[in-house]
Amino acid sequence: MTFKHKGLQALFGGTFDPIHYGHLRPVEALAKQVGLQKVILLPNHVPPHRPQPEASPSQRLEMVSLAIENNPLFTVDTRELERNSPSYTIETLTSLRQEMGPDQPLAFIIGQDSLLSIHTWYGWEQLLDKCHLLVCSRPGYAANFKESQMQEWLKKHKTDDAYKLSQSPNGYIFLGDTPLLDISATEIRKGLSSGSLCDEVIPTSVMTYIKQQHLYQN
Ligand code: ATP
């Protein structure tokens, strides 16, 4: 029997401390551009590249679930949250690749800031052996790497042809033309602790939960 794949599958990893519209809106636009039916959000438990989250794993999962409850594009996968060790993307992708088989087109979504620091990720050289990378624009970040070696890497793998993403299992980088939203979880946490957060940056249900749980108050 020949293997039948399910069209391009996409994952979007993050700390989501908290999830905000800077995560959701660009990914929705990207999904339209490349024809994604589903995006699997992958909250990480112990992010390897940054300070530990303020909200607990279960609070971050609850916020993600509230943010996507009426949005059929998104689902959530808790495999990284359930691990008590650093969430290395390459390891997660390796286990997903084993489950999905070698022919399933698979993409990992990141923001432009993450692209520019991708060469600091553990096992980054193997990422494109497991998946494509789909990149959302993010205001305040350069369009390309400073390092010439990384510029070459980008040039070698970049495609503007979204069709190619569904025609091969891995190996391409696609830079999405997505809305520029100057929103970050760090600024949201600061805004909440100083009482100066503007409400439009996170879904109302998430904001209600943050208040109920007294999150990010100091
Ligand atoms: P923090 O400010 O705490 O670093 P964050 O807002 O960057 O958090 P993360 O959960 O670390 O959120 O991000 C998950 C992914 O979402 C990363 O790939 C990041 O590049 C991307 N991302 C976050 N905010 C934006 C945004 N405003 N526009 C585009 N991509 C974003």
Side-chain angles (χ1 to χ4, degrees), residues 53-170:
E54 285 187 35
S56 70
S58 61
Q59 287 172 323
R60 288 183 292 117
L61 176 60
E62 183 60 22
M63 291 189 280
V64 166
S65 305
L66 287 167
I68 64 174
E69 68 186 343
N70 295 315
N71 191 333
L73 177 64
F74 295 102
T75 66
V76 59
D77 182 306
T78 57
R79 75 184 63 216
E80 288 197 348
L81 274 184
E82 283 153 14
R83 277 206 317 241
N84 224 344
S85 53
S87 305
Y88 290 118
T89 302
I90 190 67
E91 289 174 357
T92 304
L93 287 167
T94 302
S95 85
L96 275 157
R97 184 46 88 197
Q98 272 161 8
E99 282 170 30
M100 291 178 171
D103 298 333
Q104 170 63 51
L106 176 64
F108 193 78
I109 301 172
I110 53 177
Q112 180 69 10
D113 55 312
S114 299
L115 176 70
L116 295 177
S117 63
I118 202 145
H119 47 310
T120 65
W121 291 21
Y122 170 71
W124 73 274
E125 290 103 325
Q126 279 87 55
L127 285 173
L128 290 175
D129 300 335
K130 306 285 176 203
C131 65
H132 305 297
L133 288 175
L134 311 182
V135 185
C136 295
S137 329
R138 189 167 185 179
Y141 291 91
N144 207 333
F145 291 95
K146 285 200 302 277
E147 304 83 357
S148 55
Q149 256 179 312
M150 292 310 295
Q151 289 171 6
E152 281 306 311
W153 175 79
L154 178 58
K155 200 165 132 194
K156 183 169 158 207
H157 297 286
K158 187 170 157 308
T159 182
D160 296 326
D161 183 357
Y163 180 69
K164 285 190 180 165
L165 301 168
S166 59
Q167 296 309 301
S168 55
N170 58 282

Side-chain angles (χ1 to χ4, degrees), residues 15-36:
T15 308
F16 304 125
D17 185 27
I19 192 163
H20 53 69
Y21 282 131
H23 296 127
L24 299 168
R25 298 294 187 238
V27 172
E28 286 166 357
L30 187 70
K32 286 206 181 103
Q33 272 166 50
V34 306
L36 297 172

